Amino acid sequence: MRKRKPKLRIVTPDPRFGDTLVTQFVNNLMYSGKKSTAFAVFYDAMDIIKERIANEEIDEYEVWKRAINNAMPQVEVRSRRIGGATFQIPTEIRGKRKMSIGMKWLVRFARQRSGKGFAEKLAAELLAASRNEGLAVKRKEETHKMAESNRAFAHYGR
């Protein structure tokens, strides 16, 4: 926006964990405004995770937090035209964008997984990401590699 910053939307915390990030994640999951369905799917996935990590000392909420942290990129490359040539310039990402990109990748790659039911797919992707595996973490590493290989152009950044 040119004139002023937009008003930040107030996101209500979710009922089970009392976290606004969970609500933000569920908003990314949601199709066609069906929020209660999205919450049901998310909580089903959390229950599946709880069953699978019954013998470990961490809870399903901690697995979810780890998964998001492991899927969050720190840098990204932006295209910029300089003197007729287009350069991929690595730039740092601000906090909120990191978080939303990480969430979007987790949801997107969970949807691409094979399995029965979305709760099952989401649980599998979250567990994989919490262990530094899975497609969302792979995408983050690819992004970091690209930024690293284009580090020579970092001085073109704004």
Side-chain angles (χ1 to χ4, degrees):
M1 292 175 77
R2 287 172 186 257
K3 289 186 179 175
R4 60 188 168 90
K5 285 187 175 169
K7 283 183 187 172
L8 287 178
R9 288 199 200 100
I10 298 160
V11 181
T12 56
D14 79 296
R16 195 195 260 183
F17 302 109
D19 191 356
T20 54
L21 283 179
V22 171
T23 308
Q24 197 180 332
F25 189 80
V26 168
N27 289 345
N28 275 312
L29 279 179
M30 182 170 50
Y31 271 138
S32 306
K34 296 192 171 282
K35 197 170 210 166
S36 55
T37 307
F39 265 116
V41 167
F42 178 75
Y43 290 142
D44 287 348
M46 294 307 255
D47 292 337
I48 292 167
I49 290 171
K50 194 174 191 175
E51 288 170 19
R52 291 193 187 159
I53 60 159
N55 56 349
E56 295 176 35
E57 69 279 348
I58 56 171
D59 62 338
E60 69 274 19
Y61 178 69
E62 193 59 41
V63 167
W64 175 77
K65 292 282 270 190
R66 272 191 204 169
I68 285 184
N69 281 331
N70 291 345
M72 268 192 330
Q74 303 301 315
V75 287
E76 67 181 347
V77 289
R78 293 227 161 137
S79 296
R80 183 152 182 228
R81 274 187 64 108
I82 297 161
T86 306
F87 293 103
Q88 297 281 330
I89 297 166
T91 52
E92 295 258 333
I93 312 176
R94 56 192 169 80
K96 285 203 170 180
R97 183 164 161 75
K98 279 183 206 178
M99 190 65 75
S100 64
I101 289 173
M103 287 179 184
K104 284 173 189 168
W105 285 350
L106 281 169
V107 171
R108 178 175 157 201
F109 292 117
R111 286 198 174 116
Q112 287 178 9
R113 266 181 181 265
S114 60
K116 200 142 172 73
F118 184 65
E120 192 75 39
K121 294 178 185 182
L122 183 62
E125 186 62 34
L126 288 172
L127 277 167
S130 71
R131 296 183 182 124
N132 269 324
E133 301 164 355
L135 292 171
V137 176
K138 192 176 171 192
R139 169 58 66 89
K140 175 192 117 175
E141 286 166 359
E142 284 172 13
T143 306
H144 281 210
K145 248 185 236 166
M146 213 146 70
E148 182 64 33
S149 63
N150 288 304
R151 204 175 65 194
F153 306 124
H155 66 282
Y156 288 128
R158 293 176 197 167

